[in-house]
């Protein structure tokens, strides 16, 4: 899209304007863009040379550039201990689970909201569904505690009242993959269903009328019309998510488990690992190495996916 | 009215059931916290949490407001960073969006790429953290450390840009004829037309600052500078809170901090959002749908 426009502009103008003439003509525009440019320069581009810390034995006193070189030791450590495999696997698998489960529930809710419900009911239920979106993960962590704590939690309260034994959720890894998915769906449900609902309301109502005239029942209308026509929205959202597949939701994993050591095997994602190695064990080199792998892997994934899409369905390409 | 056929009735029943169950699941955890905070602490120790208050008591709130200095301080920090952060973010992103929407700006696509690249590749947490702490001394400037890190978002710039490029050029052109410069055009003509987007993005931004605890965890060293959510985080994670509260002089409580105290603190910290969002959610919904289409 953008490239096409640019090409047209070049055709219209005989010569590409020089920087100086452009500065003179549009000086005020440059000034207005300056805060954003400077911000990104300082907080996004300036740290990039700092990535060399992954190859160093970082020492606060000696500073970033004065610290001794460590070669590939930091990376070697990550691979030898197997930490990098564990956290990368957790990150990717959880993100895939989140994408799929979120999508199924969100689309179902959007379809139900669009097809059946009265105005008032729609509004009230949508407000209720959006509540978790506005609550911070810190509060969600408090909710987990209320529900699952061994001594006071509601779930264990119900279990013991029914003569069953209490479950120590905070120390039992096998419950957590399900719990993470549950809470992720819970938090994103309102947002996602709003997005899909707006896509559904954008569908031409004549299609439904025609189907109705042909005697299609409501299930056929949903599965043959609504869901296939959501394809573009689904693809756009999928692509946006694929770019982030290597980024773990730090706030969620950190708060829901309270950074519990017992649950590390199932709750440690790249972002929590990087944070913990940096702040708690002060191992700047190793956490930078993990972060660097994450950055390059993420970049590689986005580039690959985008290249493939440009060949298959150019309309959906991100850039 | 047409008579509803069997399939529609079945579909309706399933639909209502699913929506009601999910909507309840969304609000029940919040009800759980509210009723817990209104319960008697001893009753919770015996019976555990429940959906209705047990032995209604305002003791937990009384305990919070007996020494309101800390929570008031946290509120002050949060309100300050929310107001400043939101205002600055709107200013920076709307100006950038305006410039990138101007067709007479030749370097449009180059600057777009300059911003876009940072969304697909980043240096990662560690180099950024070292830069912020060692070179910019964020730990000595608590407010800067809480406002600056999330000040810019290319996503918001894109939303501004696409909204502004739909405003007819003729408006800006005629103002130019009258001798207005680009900044005046932006301020007097474009921005007033962007009120809905400003409201939407402003609210997203405010929500982000209000709920932010991450930057405080990274950079805040003094308890007096904690924003609300991070303050809450330390209270909830009792082990931290225990050492912190007893360390800070002047506050003496017999038992630290009780279950209901934590819940009441959660209510006090989250209350404003839960009360306000039903009235502003239409702006959020607008933003969510723009974001999905044009992101």
């Amino acid at each position: 899209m953008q490239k096409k426009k640019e090409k047209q502009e070049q055709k219209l103008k005989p010569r590409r304007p020089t920087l100086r003439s452009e500065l003179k003509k549009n000086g005020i525009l440059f000034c207005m863009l300056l805060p954003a440019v400077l911000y990104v320069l300082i907080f996004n581009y300036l740290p990039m040379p700092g990535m060399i810390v992954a190859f160093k034995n970082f020492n606060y006193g000696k500073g970033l550039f004065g610290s001794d070189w460590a070669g590939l030791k930091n990376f070697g450590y990550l691979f030898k201990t197997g930490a990098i495999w564990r956290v990368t696997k957790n990150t990717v698998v959880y993100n895939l689970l989140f994408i799929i489960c979120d999508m199924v529930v969100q689309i179902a809710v959007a379809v139900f909201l669009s097809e059946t419900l009265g105005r008032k009911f729609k509004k009230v239920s949508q407000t209720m569904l959006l509540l978790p979106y506005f609550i911070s993960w810190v509060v969600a962590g408090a909710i987990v505690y209320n529900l699952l704590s061994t001594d006071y939690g509601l779930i264990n309260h119900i279990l013991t009242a029914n003569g069953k034994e209490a479950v120590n959720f905070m120390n039992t890894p096998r419950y957590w993959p399900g719990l993470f998915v549950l809470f992720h769906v819970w938090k994103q449900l309102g947002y996602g269903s709003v997005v899909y609902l707006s896509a559904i309301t954008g569908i031409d109502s004549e299609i439904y009328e025609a189907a109705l005239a042909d005697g299609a029942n409501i299930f056929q209308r949903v599965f043959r019309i609504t869901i296939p026509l959501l394809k573009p929205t689904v693809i756009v959202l999928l692509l946006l998510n694929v770019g982030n597949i290597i980024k773990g939701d730090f706030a969620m994993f950190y708060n829901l488990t309270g950074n519990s050591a017992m649950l590390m095997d199932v709750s440690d994602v790249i972002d929590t690992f990087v944070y913990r190695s940096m702040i708690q064990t002060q191992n700047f080199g190793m956490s930078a190495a993990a972060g660097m792998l994450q950055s390059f892997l993420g970049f590689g994934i986005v580039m690959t996916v985008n290249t493939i899409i440009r060949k298959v369905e150019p309309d959906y390409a991100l850039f | 009215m047409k008579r509803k056929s069997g399939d529609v009735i079945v579909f309706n029943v399933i639909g209502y059931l699913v929506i009601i169950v999910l909507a309840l699941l969304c609000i029940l955890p919040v009800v759980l916290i509210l009723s817990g905070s209104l319960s008697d602490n001893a009753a919770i120790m015996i019976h555990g949490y429940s959906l209705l208050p047990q032995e209604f008591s305002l003791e937990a709130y009384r305990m919070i407001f007996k020494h309101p200095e800390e929570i008031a301080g946290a509120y002050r920090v949060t309100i300050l960073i929310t107001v400043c952060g939101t205002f600055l973010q709107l200013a920076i992103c709307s100006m950038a969006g305006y410039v990138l929407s101007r067709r007479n700006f030749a370097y449009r696509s180059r600057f777009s790429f300059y911003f876009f690249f940072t969304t697909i590749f980043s240096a990662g947490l560690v180099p950024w953290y070292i830069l912020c702490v060692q070179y910019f001394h964020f730990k000595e400037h608590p407010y800067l450390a809480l406002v600056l890190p999330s000040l810019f978002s290319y996503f918001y710039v894109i939303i501004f840009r696409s909204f502004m490029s739909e405003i007819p050029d003729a408006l800006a052109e005629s103002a130019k004829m009258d001798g207005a410069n680009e900044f005046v055009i932006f301020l007097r003509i474009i921005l007033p037309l962007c009120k809905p987007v400003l409201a939407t993005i402003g609210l997203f931004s405010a929500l982000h600052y209000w709920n932010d605890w991450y930057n405080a965890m990274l950079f805040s060293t003094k308890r007096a500078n904690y924003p609300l959510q991070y303050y809450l985080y330390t209270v909830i994670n009792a082990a931290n809170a225990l050492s912190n509260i007893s360390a800070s002089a002047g506050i003496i409580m017999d038992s630290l901090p009780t279950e209901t105290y934590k819940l009441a603190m959660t209510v006090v910290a989250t209350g404003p959002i839960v009360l306000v969002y039903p009235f502003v959610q239409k702006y959020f919904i607008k933003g969510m749908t723009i974001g999905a289409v044009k992101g």
Side-chain angles (χ1 to χ4, degrees):
Chain A
M1 266 297 277
Q2 238 169 34
K3 272 201 180 138
K4 222 183 257 170
K5 264 187 208 157
E6 200 188 13
K7 260 183 207 160
Q8 281 170 353
E9 269 169 27
Q10 278 174 13
K11 263 182 214 163
L12 289 175
K13 283 174 198 154
R15 255 184 315 143
R16 190 180 263 279
T18 61
L19 182 59
R20 189 186 297 192
S21 72
E22 183 66 18
L23 262 174
K24 212 166 167 187
K25 189 178 71 160
N26 284 327
I28 295 175
L29 288 181
F30 273 100
C31 286
M32 290 169 71
L33 197 59
L34 196 63
V37 170
L38 280 182
Y39 182 92
V40 171
L41 181 72
I42 293 171
F43 287 100
N44 294 100
Y45 284 103
L46 208 57
M48 283 182 193
M51 290 174 98
I52 56 162
V53 73
F55 303 99
K56 293 209 163 200
N57 278 326
F58 182 73
N59 177 317
Y60 248 110
K62 291 181 180 170
L64 189 58
F65 295 98
S67 296
D68 303 326
W69 291 99
L72 290 172
K73 203 193 74 190
N74 291 323
F75 291 90
Y77 187 76
L78 277 178
F79 285 98
K80 237 187 338 211
T81 56
I84 193 73
W85 304 122
R86 184 187 47 147
V87 294
T88 309
K89 190 197 83 189
N90 278 346
T91 310
V92 173
V93 170
Y94 277 126
N95 278 332
L96 286 175
L97 279 175
F98 294 160
I99 291 173
I100 295 164
C101 297
D102 281 0
M103 184 176 287
V104 171
V105 183
Q106 288 165 2
I107 291 182
V109 168
V111 167
F112 284 133
L113 279 176
S114 73
E115 279 289 337
T116 60
L117 309 165
R119 261 181 81 89
K120 192 102 189 174
F121 183 88
K122 206 175 191 166
K123 222 174 159 190
V124 172
S125 56
Q126 204 165 38
T127 305
M128 286 162 79
L129 291 168
L130 270 170
L131 178 60
Y133 177 78
F134 290 91
I135 289 176
S136 74
W137 280 115
V138 174
V139 175
I143 288 170
V144 166
Y145 180 80
N146 286 310
L147 288 172
L148 304 180
S149 115
T150 320
D151 299 327
Y152 317 120
L154 181 67
I155 306 239
N156 278 320
H157 177 52
I158 294 170
L159 283 178
T160 45
N162 289 321
K164 298 207 179 78
E165 216 165 292
V167 180
N168 190 347
F169 288 100
M170 300 317 279
N171 287 334
T172 318
R174 72 189 155 99
Y175 293 111
W176 282 88
L179 285 171
F180 287 134
V181 171
L182 207 67
F183 271 93
H184 199 270
V185 169
W186 176 77
K187 194 118 175 19
Q188 297 300 325
L189 181 55
Y191 192 128
S193 54
V194 162
V195 173
Y196 286 114
L197 186 60
S198 88
I200 292 174
T201 28
I203 295 173
D204 190 350
S205 60
E206 277 178 27
I207 305 177
Y208 289 105
E209 282 154 25
L212 206 57
D214 288 344
N217 70 31
I218 193 159
F219 294 96
Q220 287 167 326
R221 295 201 296 272
V222 166
F223 285 103
R224 302 276 168 80
I225 300 173
T226 311
I227 291 182
L229 284 176
L230 280 179
K231 198 180 119 194
T233 315
V234 169
I235 292 177
V236 168
L237 292 179
L238 267 185
L239 288 178
L240 288 176
N241 283 324
V242 164
N244 289 326
I245 202 151
I246 200 78
K247 289 187 193 122
D249 191 338
F250 178 88
M252 169 181 168
F253 288 101
Y254 195 82
N255 277 306
L256 291 192
T257 62
N259 199 20
S260 159
M262 298 292 288
L263 302 173
M264 273 320 158
D265 270 345
V266 291
S267 72
D268 211 10
V269 292
I270 301 178
D271 299 75
T272 50
F273 177 77
V274 168
Y275 171 80
R276 223 182 34 255
S277 328
M278 180 175 86
I279 299 289
Q280 286 171 5
T281 54
Q282 296 280 317
N283 196 337
F284 282 78
M286 189 184 74
S287 52
M292 191 170 168
L293 289 173
Q294 182 188 32
S295 287
F296 278 99
L297 203 55
F299 184 67
I301 291 172
V302 171
M303 295 309 278
T304 315
V305 169
N306 195 59
T307 315
I308 294 171
I309 292 165
R310 263 163 87 157
K311 286 211 176 99
V312 186
E313 291 256 14
D315 287 348
Y316 289 117
L318 291 169
F319 51 92
Chain B
M1 263 315 266
K2 268 183 290 182
R3 198 174 57 84
K4 280 190 176 172
S5 53
D7 57 302
V8 175
I9 294 171
V10 172
F11 192 88
N12 268 313
V13 171
I14 302 173
Y16 273 101
L17 276 179
V18 169
I19 302 282
I20 289 172
V21 168
L22 288 175
L24 285 178
L25 282 180
C26 282
I27 64 158
L28 283 185
V30 180
V31 175
L32 193 69
I33 288 197
L34 187 64
S35 62
S37 75
L38 293 169
S39 298
D40 180 58
N41 197 52
I44 283 194
M45 300 300 241
I46 299 166
H47 304 295
Y49 293 113
S50 58
L51 284 175
L52 289 173
Q54 309 177 27
E55 299 180 26
F56 183 86
S57 146
L58 289 171
E59 186 52 33
Y61 291 95
R62 216 167 286 141
M63 223 146 75
I64 292 177
F65 290 110
K66 207 155 58 182
H67 299 286
E69 302 83 13
E70 285 210 337
I71 185 85
Y75 252 101
R76 211 197 58 225
V77 174
T78 293
I79 290 172
L80 196 70
I81 60 170
T82 304
V83 171
C84 296
T86 305
F87 177 77
L88 287 173
Q89 183 162 50
L90 281 179
I92 294 177
C93 294
S94 62
M95 283 198 301
Y98 174 70
V99 176
L100 296 181
S101 78
R102 302 295 299 155
R103 275 175 267 277
N104 59 346
F105 186 63
Y107 287 82
R108 239 159 34 118
S109 54
R110 260 180 263 183
F111 276 114
S112 293
F113 180 77
Y114 170 83
F115 293 127
F116 173 72
F117 183 73
T118 61
T119 64
I120 56 171
F121 184 80
S122 79
L125 175 67
V126 182
W128 177 81
Y129 179 81
I130 294 175
L131 183 79
C132 290
V133 170
Q134 270 210 314
Y135 295 87
F136 300 149
H137 305 290
F138 268 19
K139 289 199 171 177
E140 283 110 73
H141 302 101
Y143 289 100
L144 277 188
L146 295 179
V147 172
L148 275 182
S150 26
L151 205 50
F152 179 79
S153 157
Y154 183 47
F155 183 61
Y156 295 160
V157 174
I158 293 177
I159 293 180
F160 274 119
R161 188 193 66 190
S162 51
F163 192 87
M164 288 168 177
S165 37
E166 263 150 45
I167 296 172
D169 269 349
L171 276 176
E173 289 306 323
S174 66
K176 221 179 218 170
M177 298 285 194
D178 297 339
N181 72 33
E182 292 279 2
F183 186 69
V184 173
I185 295 174
F186 165 74
L187 211 58
R188 294 276 167 78
I189 296 173
I190 305 296
L191 268 196
L193 291 172
C194 287
K195 269 182 204 146
V197 196
L198 283 170
T200 300
I201 293 182
L203 284 167
F204 269 104
S205 176
L207 179 69
H208 174 89
Y209 275 106
W210 188 280
N211 275 345
D212 183 48
W213 56 286
Y214 184 65
N215 292 315
M217 184 171 70
L218 286 177
F219 302 119
S220 289
T221 47
K222 269 197 285 185
R223 199 170 170 78
N225 295 325
Y226 286 176
L228 213 42
Q229 298 296 325
Y230 189 59
Y231 178 70
L232 177 66
Y233 173 85
T234 58
V235 171
I236 292 174
N237 292 274
N240 288 343
L242 209 66
S243 60
N244 283 328
I245 294 182
S246 50
S248 68
I251 297 178
I252 305 140
M253 282 188 275
D254 11 324
S255 57
L256 291 163
T258 61
E259 293 297 315
T260 50
Y261 180 82
K262 288 196 256 180
L263 295 179
M265 196 59 96
T266 312
V267 172
V268 171
T270 319
I273 287 195
V274 175
L275 291 180
V276 167
Y277 93 88
F279 302 101
V280 294
Q281 63 166 326
K282 63 172 184 191
Y283 292 103
F284 279 98
I285 288 176
K286 207 177 274 167
M288 291 168 187
T289 46
I290 301 175
V293 178
K294 298 194 170 145

